[in-house]
Every structure is written in structure tokens, then in C-alpha cells.
Amino acid sequence: MRPEQWAAFKKAAKREPDAGTPVAAIVDSPWIPGYLGISHLEYYFDTDVWLDANLRIMREFPDIIFLPSWWVEFGMAIEPSAFGDRVRFWPDRTPDQIATLRSATDVDRLAPVDAQTDGLMPAALQRYRSCKGRIFDAGYTIPMVAARGPLCVASFLRGVSEFMMDIVDEPDAVHKLLDLTTRCVIDWLSAQAEAIGDSVEGILVLDDIVGFLSLNAYREFAHPYLKRICDAFPSGWVKVYHNDANVRPFLSELPAAGFDVLNWSHKIPVKEAYEKTGGRVCLMGNVAPLEIGVRGTPEMVLEAASQVLDSGASSLILSVGGGVSPGMPAENLRALARAAAARAASQMA
């Protein structure tokens, strides 16, 4: 993103009274290669293709803030690969991972991750180091680093169903695993920030698995670890949490974890999310990403975006309810920006 876009996003994230309503979207390899007509293998492993792809989308959509911006990622494979998961790459879709833990108690044989040496992490760090000069010279900034959250990483290592059963059957082992994955997330975010440099002043944590928990399970198995991640970084940094699963049971407790921005599911109305979070976070959403974002028309996006803007939330970043889904057309993305521009113009009139 451009430096002025980051300034606008940061003002909104910190809930400053004159921030306005920027338009932002989480984009990554599920959307970018298909939209640009390139293979996933090219996008992941050809540095020039990756750099050009990100530059193209920022130039094609100058009114949209793409998060986290210049994201070096290999689908969801980076963190689990560092723990030893087998990763399978395909030319036309994101990679698969094969869980490495056969039982919950196998956690005792896992060693802490070293971001400088393990799995795909060194490759990602090297791309940041080799490309950041060209990115800055082109007039852009790299303000955020990103990681999958601790429960998400744990579910890749163990399997989602197995991990959820372990919460009930093997809670001590789950806490050991979450301690390791939380350390991994913090170290991975820190390593990216170090490789990029002083432009970084924000983190993006993505963890949908938290949305599978009850309130009590959230309090025990998610909140302490999410808070630990937030506490590991400066208070002035922007901290964004993505979870488009069911966060309803613990919406009122999420702000205490320390995040500034919540990107959540369109299935929970903006008004409900705002009331339950009490205005303690900036809400980023909430147009339906598939039903409207991918399958709808620009007019449908405009209508849905207008309803979001009419929700009454005092701190809002207009987006879809989650990340940009594969197949979302350009005109539907642009319709988000048109809705925000029209609302701003009407307020100035």
C-alpha cells in the first residue's frame, strides 16, 4: 500500500474521531493468481512474478487498501512447514498440508521453531530482504507483517477434528501445543518485521479455528494466547484479527485480547458486532464475500456496502466479511470503493 493509505488505515484502526471510513481488503494467493491469470507455482516461487502481481493489483485498485500489503505467503503452509508438516504444491490452487502429529502427546517431541532456518520461513524472509528496496523505490510501504494464529497452526499440525477432540480429551497436551505455536507466531512476526525494517508498525493474525469454540473454551484455549501475541508488540502498533468463523459467543471479550481491528463473518450483523464489542475495536467488514462479493453484481455490492455504512458503527473500515474470495470480479471490488466515495461525498454536501 502507499504511505498515505497506511496513515488512513491506522487512523481508523486506532478509532480517531476524524478517521472517516477507508476501504480495505485482505488479499492473498487464493485470489491474486486467479485474478491475474498466472499459476500459483509462478506466484509462489518466481520473485519477479510475485512482485509484479502485487504491483499490478495496487495500481489497478488505487482506492482500496490491500492488507497486509506485499504479503509473502505460500497459502497457509509457512507456519506448519516449520514444524515439519509435509506440504504439497499445485499449479492451480493453494498448497495442502499433511498433519505431522499422530496423537496429542506427540507434542513432547516438537522443538521450538527457528524462523531463520525452518521450513518455508527462510525463503519468505529472503524475498522480503531482496524486494523491499524495489517496493520502497516504487513509492509503496510495507507496514504490516502477518501470521496464522496459534489455534490455526495447531490444527494444521494435528488435524482440525483431532485438535478439537483433544481440547476435551487432552487439555494439558493442547496447552503445550498452543504454547509452542504461540511462540512460533510471535517469533515469525518478529522475524518478518526485522527483515523488512522500520516501516513495520502492525500485525495481522488470522485464526478461524477460534471460531469453533464455546465461550468457556475461548477463555481457556484462545484468549490467553491471542493476548500474549498482542502484548509482544508495541502498544502503538496496529493489530488486526481476522476470523470469519463464528465469533458470536465471545465477541464481547475479544477486544480485551488487544486487537485494534476485527475482520469477522458477514453472518453476524454490524450492529450486533458493534454492540457486543462496545466500540472498543474498529470493525472491518461486512459485505458477504461469496454470495455478493463473488456471485453478485456491482449493484448488489453497492447496496450491501451502503447497508454496512448505515449500520451506525462509529469506527468502521469497509470490506468484505473475511478475505477476498477466489473469483471476486474487479468491478465488485471497485464497487466497495464507489460506495465509500459516494457516502463521503454526500456527507460533505
Side-chain angles (χ1 to χ4, degrees):
M1 69 182 76
R2 301 186 305 274
E4 65 271 21
Q5 289 181 310
W6 174 243
F9 186 90
K10 187 174 180 180
K11 284 185 72 172
K14 293 298 184 180
R15 306 185 302 284
E16 296 183 18
D18 60 341
T21 305
V23 182
I26 296 174
V27 293
D28 53 357
S29 59
W31 180 74
I32 295 175
Y35 173 71
L36 295 177
I38 58 179
S39 80
H40 282 70
L41 294 178
E42 288 179 294
Y43 183 76
Y44 292 141
F45 298 115
D46 188 319
T47 296
D48 289 334
V49 169
W50 172 85
L51 189 66
D52 180 64
N54 282 273
L55 187 59
R56 282 175 61 188
I57 64 168
M58 291 185 204
R59 288 176 173 169
E60 286 187 31
F61 302 94
D63 299 321
I64 297 176
I65 301 169
F66 288 126
L67 296 183
S69 190
W70 305 103
W71 188 5
V72 179
E73 46 87 22
F74 299 92
M76 299 186 186
I78 286 182
E79 297 87 356
S81 76
F83 279 106
D85 268 16
R86 182 175 181 178
V87 180
R88 289 178 171 169
F89 285 93
W90 312 99
D92 56 355
R93 61 182 175 90
T94 53
D96 301 325
Q97 292 83 232
I98 300 175
T100 191
L101 295 179
R102 293 185 176 274
S103 71
T105 54
D106 284 346
V107 66
D108 291 327
R109 66 178 177 81
L110 287 181
V113 164
D114 185 337
Q116 303 299 328
T117 61
D118 294 347
L120 292 164
M121 289 181 176
L125 293 176
Q126 180 57 30
R127 179 166 295 177
Y128 280 127
R129 295 187 192 103
S130 65
C131 291
K132 64 183 180 181
R134 286 189 281 175
I135 292 169
F136 296 145
D137 289 345
Y140 295 89
T141 187
I142 312 174
M144 302 186 74
V145 291
R148 308 294 165 181
L151 279 79
C152 182
V153 177
S155 72
F156 279 129
L157 300 178
R158 183 74 178 97
V160 175
S161 297
E162 291 81 1
F163 177 70
M164 297 305 296
M165 290 189 289
D166 290 342
I167 287 176
V168 177
D169 297 333
E170 299 283 354
D172 291 341
V174 167
H175 281 297
K176 286 183 180 181
L177 179 57
L178 291 175
D179 179 69
L180 272 175
T181 58
T182 300
R183 290 169 62 185
C184 169
V185 171
I186 293 170
D187 290 348
W188 175 227
L189 292 169
S190 300
Q192 293 173 79
E194 180 181 3
I196 295 166
D198 293 340
S199 66
V200 175
E201 50 183 12
I203 61 173
L204 168 63
V205 177
L206 308 95
D207 202 325
D208 295 338
I209 303 301
V210 178
F212 298 171
L213 303 180
S214 67
L215 175 58
N216 287 337
Y218 168 81
R219 288 170 173 167
E220 180 176 356
F221 295 101
H223 188 89
Y225 300 102
L226 295 176
K227 188 175 188 304
R228 187 167 139 196
I229 294 168
C230 288
D231 289 348
F233 297 93
S235 60
W237 280 25
V238 172
K239 298 162 187 177
V240 180
Y241 179 52
H242 160 88
N243 185 336
D244 54 4
N246 181 26
V247 299
R248 181 176 275 120
F250 43 85
L251 256 176
S252 61
E253 301 196 10
L254 262 176
F259 292 104
D260 299 295
V261 179
L262 172 64
N263 175 233
W264 82 110
S265 169
H266 69 284
K267 295 182 180 179
I268 302 174
V270 180
K271 183 177 180 181
E272 179 183 351
Y274 179 66
E275 289 174 349
K276 288 185 176 178
T277 56
R280 292 172 290 158
V281 294
C282 178
L283 298 174
M284 179 176 161
N286 192 29
V287 174
L290 280 175
E291 296 89 335
I292 296 177
V294 174
R295 301 172 189 143
T297 63
E299 290 72 26
M300 293 169 67
V301 174
L302 281 169
E303 165 111 17
S306 296
Q307 293 175 3
V308 172
L309 294 169
D310 287 336
S311 64
S314 61
S315 299
L316 183 68
I317 296 167
L318 183 61
S319 186
V320 292
V324 173
S325 297
M328 185 169 181
E331 286 310 309
N332 286 4
L333 261 176
R334 293 190 179 101
L336 284 175
R338 285 167 50 203
R343 181 56 52 93
S346 67
Q347 291 173 342
M348 294 176 63

